[in-house]
Every structure is written in C-alpha cells, then in structure tokens.
Amino acid sequence: MSRNVSVAERRDEGGLLETIKVIVQALVIALVIRTLLFQPFNIPSGSMIPTLLIGDYVFVSKYAYGYSNYSLPSVPYLDWRLDLFSGRVLGSQPKRGDVAVFKLPRDNETDYIKRVIGLPGDRIQMIEGRLYINGEIVPREVKPKEKHEGRDGREVEVPTYTETLPGGVAHTIIEIEGDHGYKDNTELFVVPPNNYFMMGDNRDNSTDSRFAPEEGGVGYVPSENLVGRAEIIFFSVQKDEYALAFWRWPWTVRWDRLFKPAH
C-alpha cells in the first residue's frame, strides 16, 4: 500500500538536502583555499626561535612558489597522494631569506619550516659560527641577549644577533652555544640546480641542511618539495598548551604575537 508523503515530511527532506548541499559547498571551498591559497601550520619545535616560537600558528601562502604534487591533499600514514604532474606549475623561485614550509626530502611527508639561505649554485659554509655565502662572510650585529630555553630546558640568556643576508633580508638569530656549537664549522656546500639550502634561526638547535639525510637531517631541498611561504602568525599559545582550550586563552594566548609577520 502506498503512503502519502505529507507536506511536513517533504519540507524536512528538502531541509536536510539543503543542509547537506551547504556543507558540501563549504568543504569544497575550504579545500580549494587550503590547496591553492593559504594553509595553516603550527610550529612544533624551537628551531626557528626567535622568529617563530613553539605554539605559534602561521598562515602559509601556497601560491608563492607555484604548485607541485606536494601542494595537493594527501592521506597521512597511508602513503597516498594525488599525483597529477611533475615539477612545479606556475612556479617562482624563493627569495633568499624567505621562511618556507617544505616536505622533508628523506620521507616526502613531514612538514618542516626553515629559512631559505642558499639558492641554486650558491656555496654555503659555516666557519667558527659565522655564515659564509659564496666566499663572503654574512654581516651580523650584536643585539641585547634574549632569554630562551637552553638545551637543558632551563631559560637562559643567549647571544643574539641581527644577520643581514645578501639581498638585504635582515633577521634575528640566536646562538645558544655561542660560536662553538655543533655544526658551527662545516664542509663547503654547493647547492645543486633546482635545490635550496635551509637553516633555522636557532642556529645551535636546528636540524637543517647542514645535516645530511643519513644523519637524520634535511640535506638539500628540491624545488618540488616546497609547500609555501610563511606569511603571518594568526594565533599563538604558550608551549605545552592546547590551542582548543579556549577557557584558558586569557592566560595561555600570546596576544602580543597575533598578526605579526612570520618572517
């Protein structure tokens, strides 16, 4: 026996379909924005201190360097990723001094964030704590010491400098162990074509391009692995605090860091 569908039932069904339609549209818009325009990242380590702190959340512009397969959605831990093209589309070269997010070359999955120090063809070396690019020492100016967490977890005053890279980008670095830390003296690195040399601003606490992949390091970063350029800090909570614990925000949010440049 057929059943007559009431007006109220039809209205409920229409309302449910409309709700599903709105949700799907919102998800598609969010996916397009995340894939092509901006993607949020959180900072889990102290390798970019003092520029970026543990607990900072930054927006990364996906369009800054163009797009590769690493710009597209993936399913973590399942080794699944859309594979639509090779190389980069609408690509542009990073500038020296950019703070960039990239996929760690040795697994092509883990997101890392460092500063672009060496461009293709550059010769990079650390000698007694000083950075040399193409045979020239990179100038730095002494700043007042800042308090940051040392290797033992305690807060200490650390040597702090303003370093000015070729091209004019000035940024702050810290040297927890002075100019005699591990990797403050390195071999001469020659950056291969279509690759980049990355370093952290926390020079004595950054596993970066000074460390080879077989050492657990980054090594050279292929252009294809670039994800985007860090633009702005949109949220920040103190270390070991949960960003979603909104009832603690009055005490845990670093209000003075919100909307600061991420470079």
Side-chain angles (χ1 to χ4, degrees):
M1 179 181 294
S2 62
R3 183 175 68 90
N4 293 327
V5 179
S6 68
V7 173
E9 288 176 320
R10 288 198 297 270
R11 187 183 301 117
D12 289 342
E13 290 177 359
L16 177 60
L17 291 174
E18 188 64 27
T19 299
I20 294 174
K21 180 180 177 182
V22 170
I23 292 174
V24 170
Q25 289 175 338
L27 291 173
V28 170
I29 292 172
L31 182 62
V32 170
I33 291 175
R34 185 184 183 279
T35 301
L36 300 180
L37 299 178
F38 294 97
Q39 183 173 345
F41 286 88
N42 74 294
I43 308 302
S45 75
S47 69
M48 283 297 293
I49 292 173
T51 305
L52 298 173
L53 306 181
I54 298 174
D56 283 348
Y57 288 75
V58 302
F59 277 128
V60 171
S61 58
K62 302 292 287 291
Y63 55 84
Y65 308 136
Y67 306 97
S68 73
N69 283 322
Y70 297 114
S71 305
L72 302 174
S74 64
V75 179
Y77 312 116
L78 296 184
D79 197 25
W80 179 89
R81 177 183 302 279
L82 286 173
D83 189 8
L84 300 183
F85 49 83
S86 61
R88 302 196 73 83
V89 176
L90 303 176
S92 59
Q93 179 170 281
K95 296 179 180 178
R96 195 192 316 275
D98 283 359
V99 175
V101 172
F102 56 92
K103 294 296 183 181
L104 182 64
R106 70 172 185 269
D107 67 10
N108 294 324
E109 189 63 48
T110 308
D111 291 316
Y112 264 46
I113 185 166
K114 306 287 183 187
R115 191 176 298 275
V116 179
I117 297 296
L119 305 178
D122 279 346
R123 292 174 288 116
I124 309 294
Q125 189 170 19
M126 295 291 294
I127 302 175
E128 296 183 355
R130 299 299 301 271
L131 174 62
Y132 287 75
I133 299 179
N134 296 324
E136 299 290 334
I137 192 170
V138 174
R140 71 182 189 187
E141 295 181 3
V142 177
K143 294 183 64 175
K145 289 185 176 182
E146 296 184 1
K147 286 188 175 181
H148 292 288
E149 187 176 291
R151 289 189 177 279
D152 59 1
R154 295 183 301 172
E155 194 174 70
V156 293
E157 288 190 337
V158 298
T160 306
Y161 305 91
T162 297
E163 186 177 74
T164 303
L165 298 170
V169 173
H171 59 106
T172 303
I173 64 170
I174 61 173
E175 293 272 11
I176 293 175
E177 298 178 3
D179 288 336
H180 305 287
Y182 189 53
K183 292 295 184 180
D184 271 344
N185 288 282
T186 70
E187 63 186 284
L188 178 66
F189 299 96
V190 180
V191 186
N194 297 316
N195 280 258
Y196 298 91
F197 193 93
M198 307 290 193
M199 291 179 67
D201 292 346
N202 187 352
R203 289 289 166 79
D204 293 328
N205 191 22
S206 174
T207 303
D208 47 39
S209 292
R210 293 172 291 175
F211 297 81
E214 54 268 24
E215 297 179 276
V218 170
Y220 301 117
V221 176
S223 171
E224 191 173 3
N225 285 56
L226 296 173
V227 174
R229 182 179 65 209
E231 302 289 355
I232 193 169
I233 301 168
F234 69 89
F235 195 64
S236 181
V237 292
Q238 295 174 13
K239 181 182 177 182
D240 298 327
E241 293 287 346
Y242 292 101
L244 296 180
F246 60 88
W247 57 91
R248 293 180 54 82
W249 284 358
W251 304 277
T252 61
V253 172
R254 303 184 183 112
W255 300 102
D256 61 323
R257 293 190 61 77
L258 271 58
F259 307 114
K260 290 183 61 176
H263 46 78

